[in-house]
Amino acid sequence: MNRRAAGHTEWCGKDHRCGLGEHRSDEIVVDVAGRSRAVLVRVRTATGREHAEVRVRVALAPGEVAARRQLVGLLGDLRETVTRAAIAGRARPRRAA
């Protein structure tokens, strides 16, 4: 994997998406027709820091109570997902040989 601070990466879209020092991948789309859609883009900033940018759209129930229940569940799931990703990205101490 190429993670140089300058120049395009292997995963970079290498087109108009790259600008202002950022490099952006092609969109990865997960689509459940009529129900939900998620779009993930990998981004590397001008400082070399990499991020995942995620947009999610979920169809809500027509009733207010049910829609709010969906939103509460979605926020809880997102919190768990973001926390899990942050923990996985932390450096781990090396084991003594």
Side-chain angles (χ1 to χ4, degrees), residues 49 82-92:
R49 181 78 170 131
V82 169
T83 300
R84 193 173 343 115
I87 289 169
R90 286 195 319 212
R92 294 185 179 171

Side-chain angles (χ1 to χ4, degrees), residues 32-48:
V32 179
R35 298 285 181 203
S36 63
R37 179 180 180 97
V39 180
L40 182 132
V41 175
R42 186 173 175 176
V43 179
R44 190 181 75 195
T45 67
T47 64

Side-chain angles (χ1 to χ4, degrees), residues 64-86:
E64 185 62 23
V65 172
R68 286 179 182 229
R69 195 173 351 174
Q70 282 178 282
L71 291 170
V72 167
L74 180 61
L75 287 173
D77 291 345
L78 284 172
R79 177 180 295 139
E80 182 180 328
T81 299
V82 169
T83 300
R84 193 173 343 115

Side-chain angles (χ1 to χ4, degrees), residues 11 17 22-29 38-45 49-56 78 82:
W11 50 261
R17 289 169 284 209
E22 279 191 347
H23 292 275
R24 302 174 75 78
S25 71
D26 292 330
E27 292 182 341
I28 298 170
V29 178
V39 180
L40 182 132
V41 175
R42 186 173 175 176
V43 179
R44 190 181 75 195
T45 67
R49 181 78 170 131
E50 294 191 12
H51 302 274
E53 197 172 274
V54 182
R55 291 188 316 267
V56 178
L78 284 172
V82 169

